[in-house]
Amino acid sequence: SQQGEEDPQALSIQEGENATMNCSYKTSINNLQWYRQNSGRGLVHLILIRSNEREKHSGRLRVTLDTSKKSSSLLITASRAADTASYFCATPQGGSNYKLTFGKGTLLTVNP
Amino acid sequence: GAGVSQSPSNKVTEKGKDVELRCDPISGHTALYWYRQSLGQGLEFLIYFQGNSAPDKSGLPSDRFSAERTGGSVSTLTIQRTQQEDSAVYLCASSLARDRGNYGYTFGSGTRLTVV
């Protein structure tokens, strides 16, 4: 069953703007992960945030986690055309510590 | 190698034929996963291998699908009697040993399977 659900499904912005994507999930988790996918091929792991963390940064990426609302957000600051991709959140599937469940993703388009 | 390697990159096969997809994980990664992604969809879990433990096959969609992992390294996903609905990108990933799942996956570039 779908665990992580990203919102919005698609987002189009201009270069230099910030992009925010959201993820909601249903069951308790021990971590939440964000991935990027270019051109429908392999996914690239961006960042992992543990359930006892509220915010994490990596370069231009900022991830927040609100376990009370079962939601997470991914913020990309000062976006670039190269950030154009699909972004997925993933959580360990209920009852499993290893099997990640992915949402359908947010398609981000950054226009030059 | 430095990353997860999958072959072939693309495979076109006739309906009813068998296909084998190969995955070579990162050396030292004991966990290996197969997912598939249909056009515009999220990833669907297929199977998981961890060391010498019995694999978790709970995501395999039918008995036409099978996978093995030899010597704890290379894995092969086999689809018998392919159907058009099997057309998808098949993604392999590996990660360090299961530690409450607190490791990110490294994905290969996938195999795009087209059944005609």
Side-chain angles (χ1 to χ4, degrees), chain B residues 2 7 10 12 15-16 18-20 25 33 40 46-47 49 55 80 83 87 95 106 110 112:
Chain B
S7 61
N10 291 283
V12 179
K15 178 181 173 181
D18 297 352
V19 296
E20 283 191 353
Y33 314 79
L46 297 177
I47 189 168
F49 295 90
Q80 296 179 310
Q83 304 294 314
S87 295
S95 71
T106 301
R112 185 180 300 279

Short mmCIF file of all heavy atoms in Angstrom, two decimals, chain B residues 2 7 10 12 15-16 18-20 25 33 40 46-47 49 55 80 83 87 95 106 110 112:
data_model
loop_
_atom_site.label_atom_id
_atom_site.label_comp_id
_atom_site.label_asym_id
_atom_site.label_seq_id
_atom_site.Cartn_x
_atom_site.Cartn_y
_atom_site.Cartn_z
N ALA B 2 32.17 1.14 -8.61
CA ALA B 2 31.82 2.21 -7.69
C ALA B 2 30.34 2.29 -7.46
O ALA B 2 29.90 2.84 -6.44
CB ALA B 2 32.35 3.52 -8.25
N SER B 7 22.27 -4.69 -16.12
CA SER B 7 22.32 -4.98 -17.55
C SER B 7 21.18 -5.92 -17.92
O SER B 7 20.75 -6.72 -17.08
CB SER B 7 23.67 -5.60 -17.92
OG SER B 7 23.86 -6.83 -17.23
N ASN B 10 18.47 -1.69 -21.85
CA ASN B 10 17.18 -1.79 -22.52
C ASN B 10 17.00 -3.20 -23.05
O ASN B 10 17.96 -3.83 -23.50
CB ASN B 10 17.09 -0.81 -23.69
CG ASN B 10 17.05 0.63 -23.23
OD1 ASN B 10 16.03 1.12 -22.76
ND2 ASN B 10 18.17 1.32 -23.33
N VAL B 12 14.04 -5.37 -25.39
CA VAL B 12 12.76 -5.53 -26.07
C VAL B 12 12.58 -7.02 -26.32
O VAL B 12 13.48 -7.67 -26.87
CB VAL B 12 12.73 -4.76 -27.41
CG1 VAL B 12 11.39 -4.96 -28.09
CG2 VAL B 12 12.99 -3.27 -27.17
N LYS B 15 6.23 -11.08 -26.50
CA LYS B 15 5.32 -11.67 -25.52
C LYS B 15 5.49 -13.18 -25.49
O LYS B 15 5.57 -13.83 -26.54
CB LYS B 15 3.88 -11.30 -25.89
CG LYS B 15 2.82 -11.88 -24.98
CD LYS B 15 1.45 -11.46 -25.46
CE LYS B 15 0.36 -12.17 -24.67
NZ LYS B 15 -0.99 -11.80 -25.14
N GLY B 16 5.59 -13.72 -24.28
CA GLY B 16 5.74 -15.16 -24.12
C GLY B 16 7.18 -15.63 -23.93
O GLY B 16 7.40 -16.76 -23.49
N ASP B 18 11.05 -15.57 -22.23
CA ASP B 18 11.63 -15.36 -20.90
C ASP B 18 12.74 -14.30 -21.00
O ASP B 18 13.43 -14.22 -22.01
CB ASP B 18 12.24 -16.65 -20.37
CG ASP B 18 11.22 -17.76 -20.18
OD1 ASP B 18 10.00 -17.49 -20.31
OD2 ASP B 18 11.64 -18.90 -19.91
N VAL B 19 12.91 -13.53 -19.93
CA VAL B 19 14.00 -12.56 -19.88
C VAL B 19 14.73 -12.66 -18.55
O VAL B 19 14.15 -13.04 -17.54
CB VAL B 19 13.52 -11.10 -20.07
CG1 VAL B 19 12.93 -10.90 -21.46
CG2 VAL B 19 12.53 -10.70 -19.00
N GLU B 20 16.00 -12.32 -18.60
CA GLU B 20 16.83 -12.27 -17.39
C GLU B 20 17.45 -10.89 -17.27
O GLU B 20 18.06 -10.39 -18.21
CB GLU B 20 17.95 -13.31 -17.45
CG GLU B 20 17.50 -14.72 -17.17
CD GLU B 20 18.67 -15.67 -16.99
OE1 GLU B 20 19.83 -15.25 -17.23
OE2 GLU B 20 18.43 -16.83 -16.63
N PRO B 25 25.67 -5.40 -7.38
CA PRO B 25 25.60 -4.35 -6.35
C PRO B 25 26.98 -3.81 -5.98
O PRO B 25 28.00 -4.30 -6.44
CB PRO B 25 24.98 -5.09 -5.16
CG PRO B 25 25.49 -6.50 -5.33
CD PRO B 25 25.53 -6.73 -6.81
N TYR B 33 17.93 -5.05 -3.43
CA TYR B 33 16.49 -4.88 -3.64
C TYR B 33 16.19 -4.79 -5.13
O TYR B 33 16.97 -4.21 -5.89
CB TYR B 33 15.99 -3.57 -2.99
CG TYR B 33 16.48 -3.31 -1.59
CD1 TYR B 33 17.75 -2.82 -1.35
CD2 TYR B 33 15.65 -3.55 -0.50
CE1 TYR B 33 18.19 -2.57 -0.06
CE2 TYR B 33 16.07 -3.29 0.79
CZ TYR B 33 17.35 -2.80 1.01
OH TYR B 33 17.77 -2.55 2.28
N GLY B 40 5.29 6.81 -15.27
CA GLY B 40 4.62 7.83 -14.47
C GLY B 40 4.19 7.38 -13.09
O GLY B 40 3.46 8.11 -12.41
N LEU B 46 9.63 -5.42 -5.26
CA LEU B 46 9.52 -6.79 -5.76
C LEU B 46 10.11 -7.81 -4.80
O LEU B 46 9.43 -8.72 -4.36
CB LEU B 46 10.21 -6.91 -7.13
CG LEU B 46 9.63 -6.07 -8.27
CD1 LEU B 46 10.46 -6.25 -9.53
CD2 LEU B 46 8.16 -6.43 -8.53
N ILE B 47 11.40 -7.66 -4.48
CA ILE B 47 12.08 -8.67 -3.67
C ILE B 47 13.29 -8.06 -2.98
O ILE B 47 13.86 -7.07 -3.45
CB ILE B 47 12.50 -9.87 -4.55
CG1 ILE B 47 13.03 -11.05 -3.73
CG2 ILE B 47 13.54 -9.45 -5.60
CD1 ILE B 47 13.18 -12.34 -4.53
N PHE B 49 16.95 -9.15 -0.74
CA PHE B 49 17.94 -10.13 -0.27
C PHE B 49 18.79 -9.49 0.81
O PHE B 49 19.22 -8.35 0.68
CB PHE B 49 18.88 -10.56 -1.42
CG PHE B 49 18.22 -11.28 -2.54
CD1 PHE B 49 17.70 -10.60 -3.63
CD2 PHE B 49 18.12 -12.67 -2.52
CE1 PHE B 49 17.10 -11.27 -4.68
CE2 PHE B 49 17.52 -13.36 -3.56
CZ PHE B 49 17.02 -12.65 -4.64
N PRO B 55 15.19 -14.75 1.14
CA PRO B 55 14.74 -13.46 0.58
C PRO B 55 13.28 -13.17 0.91
O PRO B 55 12.48 -14.07 1.12
CB PRO B 55 14.93 -13.65 -0.93
CG PRO B 55 14.90 -15.12 -1.14
CD PRO B 55 15.49 -15.74 0.09
N GLN B 80 9.40 -15.10 -16.60
CA GLN B 80 9.04 -16.14 -17.57
C GLN B 80 7.75 -15.76 -18.29
O GLN B 80 6.88 -15.09 -17.73
CB GLN B 80 8.85 -17.48 -16.85
CG GLN B 80 10.12 -18.00 -16.20
CD GLN B 80 9.89 -19.31 -15.46
OE1 GLN B 80 8.96 -19.43 -14.68
NE2 GLN B 80 10.73 -20.29 -15.73
N GLN B 83 4.54 -10.86 -20.35
CA GLN B 83 3.28 -10.27 -20.80
C GLN B 83 3.50 -8.77 -21.02
O GLN B 83 4.44 -8.19 -20.48
CB GLN B 83 2.20 -10.48 -19.73
CG GLN B 83 1.98 -11.94 -19.37
CD GLN B 83 1.42 -12.75 -20.52
OE1 GLN B 83 0.48 -12.32 -21.18
NE2 GLN B 83 2.00 -13.91 -20.78
N SER B 87 5.95 -4.70 -19.01
CA SER B 87 6.76 -3.58 -19.51
C SER B 87 6.90 -2.52 -18.43
O SER B 87 5.91 -2.03 -17.88
CB SER B 87 6.11 -2.97 -20.76
OG SER B 87 6.08 -3.89 -21.82
N SER B 95 22.28 -1.65 -0.36
CA SER B 95 22.56 -0.82 0.80
C SER B 95 23.38 -1.63 1.79
O SER B 95 23.50 -2.85 1.68
CB SER B 95 21.27 -0.30 1.45
OG SER B 95 20.58 -1.34 2.08
N THR B 106 21.47 2.76 -2.82
CA THR B 106 22.14 3.19 -4.05
C THR B 106 21.50 2.42 -5.19
O THR B 106 21.53 1.18 -5.19
CB THR B 106 23.65 2.91 -4.00
OG1 THR B 106 24.23 3.60 -2.88
CG2 THR B 106 24.31 3.42 -5.27
N GLY B 110 18.88 1.01 -13.99
CA GLY B 110 17.67 0.33 -14.39
C GLY B 110 17.76 -0.37 -15.73
O GLY B 110 18.63 -0.09 -16.56
N ARG B 112 15.16 -1.00 -18.87
CA ARG B 112 13.84 -0.69 -19.44
C ARG B 112 13.40 -1.89 -20.25
O ARG B 112 14.01 -2.21 -21.28
CB ARG B 112 13.88 0.56 -20.31
CG ARG B 112 12.51 0.98 -20.82
CD ARG B 112 12.59 2.23 -21.67
NE ARG B 112 13.12 3.36 -20.94
CZ ARG B 112 12.42 4.13 -20.11
NH1 ARG B 112 11.14 3.88 -19.92
NH2 ARG B 112 12.98 5.15 -19.49
#
